[in-house]
Amino acid sequence: MPHRPNGDEMGDEMADYDLVIRGGTVVTAADTYRADVGIRGNRIAAVGEALDGAQVLDAGGLLVLPGGVDTHCHIEQLRPNGGTDQESFVTGSTSCLAGGTTTVITFAAQFKGHGIRDTLAEYHRRARQAMVDYSFHQIITDPSDAVVWEEIPEVVASGVRSLKVFLTYEPSHLDDRQFLRVLAAARRNGALVTVHCENYEAIRWRTEALMADGRSAPKYHSWSRPKVIEREATHRAIALAELVDQPIQVFHVSCSEVAEEIARAQARGLKVWAETCPQYFVLGAADMDRPGFEGAKFMCSPSPRDKVTSEALWGDISRGTLDIVSSDHSGSSYEGEHGKRIHGNNAPFPDIPNGVPGLASRLPIIFSEGVAGGRIDANTFVRLIATNPAKLFGLYPRKGTIAPGSDADLVLWDPARRETITNALMQHVIDYTPYEGMVVTGWPVATVKDGRVAMRDGKVQAEPGTGRFLARGPYPMIQPRGVLPDGFDAAKFA
Ligand SMILES: [Zn+2]
C-alpha cells in the first residue's frame, strides 16, 4: 500500500497524480534529498515517498531541479528600422526547453520619440506563440513627460514590473538626468530598474581613438571598453539609485572590480542586486582575436575579459554579491541579413552586431564549471539559475522551487553526462554558438513544463501558444528602503 500524503482518499485503482517523477534526487535552493514529485494538472501537488501516478517518469540516478528561469534574454525584439530579432518566441522557446529553461523575461523596447503602450501590445501579440512562460522588462530610451507620468504607471500596473535602461549604446543610452527620471518613475510605481552599466562617452572617445589609429578588428571591441568603464558606470548607477531610494539590478557584471562596487553598496544596506552570464566564465577577449573574422562571434558587451578575471567571479558568486546567472541571449547569426558579417569581413568593430546566443547553454555551462568543477554545490547552482531570478522578479514561489503549489516546471538533470556542445544541440535559430566544441559535464535529459514532458532526450515536444504571460504584482523585495539623503522626496515632483 503506497504512502498517501495529505490523507488522499482516492481508491487504489486510480492514480493520485497525473504525473509522478520517481526516484530522483530533488535539489532546491536549500535542500538535496531523495523524493518523488507528484503533479496534478500544471501544479506540483506533493513531494514525498512512493507516489503513484497515471504517468511515471523514471528519474533514477538523476537530479530533479526547478525549471530554469532566465531573466535576461532578447527574443523577437523589434528593430527600429523594421523587422525583429531572428530568434522568435517559437525558436527561442525550443532552445530554452532543450536547455532546461521554462521561464524567461524578455524585453519590450521603446523607440526614441515614441511611447511604450502600443509597442508593448505588439510584444504581447508576438509572445502568444511562446512555449515557455514569459514576462517583459520595459526598456526606456526616451523618458518624456508622457512616458514617465502617464505610460509607465499603466505598463507597470499591467504586470511589467521592471524597467531597463542603458547607460551606453547609440541610440539607447540615457544621460544622468534621464536615468534619474526613470528611477523616480519606478519608485513612484513600484518597479525594479535593471541597468546596463558602461560609460557612453568614454566608449565613444576610446572608439574614436582606436579608429584613428587604424585598430578596427573585432578584438578592439574589448579595447574600446576596459573594466574601468563598466566600474565607473556601476558606481554612478548605484549612487543615483541611492539618491532616489530606488532598488536596482546591475546587468551582466563581467569582473570583480565591478562586483566590488556592488558589494560595497550591499554592505551599506542598499537594495542593489547583480547578475553575471556564462560568457564571463568561459569566454575571453582573446577569443575576439581568432583568425579572420571569427572573433566577431564572441563580441558582446561588457566585453569578456581573461581567465584570471573569470576565476575571480566565482568568488563574487560564493560571497553572494552576484546572485543570478542569466544568458543575455542576444542573437545575431554569423551569416545572413542580420548577421555579424552584414557589413563584410573588414567591418570595423563598431559596425558589427553585438551579442552572443546562450539560451540552451546557460545551465550546462554553469553546472559544469560550477558544480562539476567543484566551485559551488548543486543548491547554489539552483539558486543562481532558478530561485534567485524568480525571487528578484516577483515570480517566487510559483517559479524557482519544487514545492506543493508551485508550477510543475522541472528539469531532470544527469549530473555525470559528458556532452560536447554543438550548435545543433542548442536548437536556436542562430547559426553558431560561441561554445562550439566545449565539453561539459551535466546535461538536461528531460524538461517538464506545466506538468507535461516538453523535452526528452533533446527532442522538444511542445505546442506554440502553451507559454503564459506572467503578470507581476507588487512584492516586498523591491520596495524602497524609505531612506532619503535629507528626507526630501524629489521623486514625487520630477
Ligand atoms: Zn541584454
Side-chain angles (χ1 to χ4, degrees):
M1 179 77 181
H3 168 69
R4 299 201 182 282
N6 310 324
D8 196 306
E9 304 271 283
M10 291 171 97
D12 266 344
E13 69 282 1
M14 284 186 68
D16 293 344
Y17 305 101
D18 299 323
L19 173 65
V20 166
I21 317 283
R22 183 172 288 164
T25 299
V26 169
V27 184
T28 66
D31 299 302
T32 304
Y33 58 106
R34 292 292 295 272
D36 298 344
V37 180
I39 294 162
R40 280 199 205 104
N42 59 11
R43 298 268 185 112
I44 295 168
V47 183
E49 290 175 2
L51 305 185
D52 186 16
Q55 191 194 348
V56 173
L57 207 52
D58 178 20
L62 302 176
L63 306 181
V64 181
L65 316 174
V69 179
D70 191 347
T71 47
H72 180 173
C73 48
H74 302 269
I75 294 175
E76 209 166 332
Q77 208 166 303
L78 299 171
R79 290 168 185 255
N81 305 323
T84 67
D85 284 348
Q86 242 183 312
E87 202 72 77
S88 71
F89 278 97
V90 173
T91 60
S93 298
T94 303
S95 186
C96 282
L97 294 170
T101 287
T102 49
T103 298
V104 293
I105 305 185
T106 64
F107 295 86
Q110 178 190 15
F111 299 129
K112 272 199 166 150
H114 294 256
I116 54 177
R117 232 178 340 223
D118 297 346
T119 36
L120 179 60
E122 173 66 9
Y123 283 98
H124 273 290
R125 197 186 64 73
R126 290 175 175 276
R128 276 186 210 123
Q129 292 297 304
M131 310 186 293
V132 292
D133 288 353
Y134 58 92
S135 193
F136 302 111
H137 304 293
Q138 176 66 55
I139 294 174
I140 304 294
T141 59
D142 188 356
S144 64
D145 280 344
V147 165
V148 159
W149 293 101
E150 292 159 32
E151 298 202 57
I152 286 177
E154 266 184 52
V155 163
V156 172
S158 77
V160 177
R161 203 154 284 276
S162 42
L163 307 177
K164 193 260 175 96
V165 300
F166 293 93
L167 300 187
T168 188
Y169 284 145
E170 192 63 49
S172 318
H173 74 100
L174 301 186
D175 62 27
D176 290 350
R177 185 163 177 280
Q178 291 173 315
F179 178 41
L180 284 165
R181 281 168 64 85
V182 175
L183 291 167
R187 166 77 196 290
R188 289 191 296 270
N189 293 284
L192 183 66
V193 176
T194 63
V195 194
H196 180 129
C197 294
E198 288 185 296
N199 183 307
Y200 172 69
E201 294 294 351
I203 292 170
R204 281 179 74 195
W205 176 72
R206 293 275 298 181
T207 300
E208 192 183 301
L210 287 163
M211 290 300 139
D213 197 33
R215 298 174 192 264
S216 69
K219 74 168 180 178
Y220 293 109
H221 172 75
S222 81
W223 290 39
S224 74
R225 49 212 331 124
K227 291 174 180 176
V228 62
I229 279 177
E230 186 186 352
R231 181 163 62 78
E232 183 280 333
T234 302
H235 175 81
R236 181 161 37 99
I238 291 168
L240 297 182
E242 180 176 2
L243 179 68
V244 180
D245 187 21
Q246 167 57 38
I248 59 170
Q249 187 204 27
V250 178
F251 266 172
H252 42 48
V253 171
S254 76
C255 60
S256 286
E257 287 83 343
V258 169
E260 213 171 88
E261 297 291 336
I262 293 153
R264 283 201 296 140
Q266 291 169 342
R268 295 211 319 284
L270 299 181
K271 289 195 175 186
V272 175
W273 296 274
E275 56 156 34
T276 186
C277 314
Q279 47 270 37
Y280 300 112
F281 293 105
V282 293
L283 300 181
D287 288 308
M288 283 176 267
D289 197 19
R290 292 201 194 184
F293 197 63
E294 285 284 302
K297 291 181 176 176
F298 306 89
M299 274 180 57
C300 57
S301 300
S303 172
R305 311 293 179 184
D306 54 55
K307 282 202 158 55
V308 173
T309 302
S310 296
E311 194 57 47
L313 275 180
W314 287 107
D316 300 305
I317 294 273
S318 296
R319 289 186 288 276
T321 310
L322 309 178
D323 66 354
I324 288 176
V325 178
S326 73
S327 70
D328 196 7
H329 176 87
S330 169
S332 285
S333 279
Y334 193 51
E335 312 287 351
E337 59 168 331
H338 294 314
K340 299 266 188 189
R341 285 155 64 120
I342 182 171
H343 298 301
N345 273 351
N346 291 316
F349 69 83
D351 293 347
I352 301 170
N354 201 20
V356 295
L359 292 171
S361 47
R362 181 176 68 116
L363 271 57
I365 288 174
I366 296 304
F367 188 90
S368 186
E369 292 292 308
V371 183
R375 296 177 174 101
I376 56 173
D377 60 19
N379 309 101
T380 303
F381 171 71
V382 167
R383 277 200 292 279
L384 293 172
I385 58 92
T387 312
N388 287 343
K391 284 184 174 175
L392 184 57
F393 290 96
L395 300 171
Y396 188 87
R398 180 174 173 186
K399 306 292 186 187
T401 193
I402 299 176
S406 294
D407 284 353
D409 298 346
L410 302 159
V411 187
L412 274 58
W413 189 272
D414 184 343
R417 178 152 153 192
R418 282 172 73 77
E419 194 68 67
T420 302
I421 293 180
T422 64
N423 197 49
L425 286 175
M426 300 296 96
Q427 301 194 45
H428 51 213
V429 79
I430 309 302
D431 64 2
Y432 82 98
T433 167
Y435 312 112
E436 187 78 33
M438 182 180 295
V439 178
V440 290
T441 301
W443 197 257
V445 296
T447 304
V448 173
K449 159 80 175 62
D450 270 332
R452 300 176 57 168
V453 179
M455 184 281 282
R456 195 163 188 177
D457 299 324
K459 194 175 176 334
V460 173
Q461 41 208 12
E463 291 299 316
T466 46
R468 293 173 293 173
F469 172 62
L470 302 167
R472 296 178 284 134
Y475 51 103
M477 195 166 171
I478 61 165
Q479 276 166 9
R481 295 191 308 147
V483 179
L484 291 160
D486 45 19
F488 173 62
D489 191 358
K492 282 186 181 159
F493 306 96

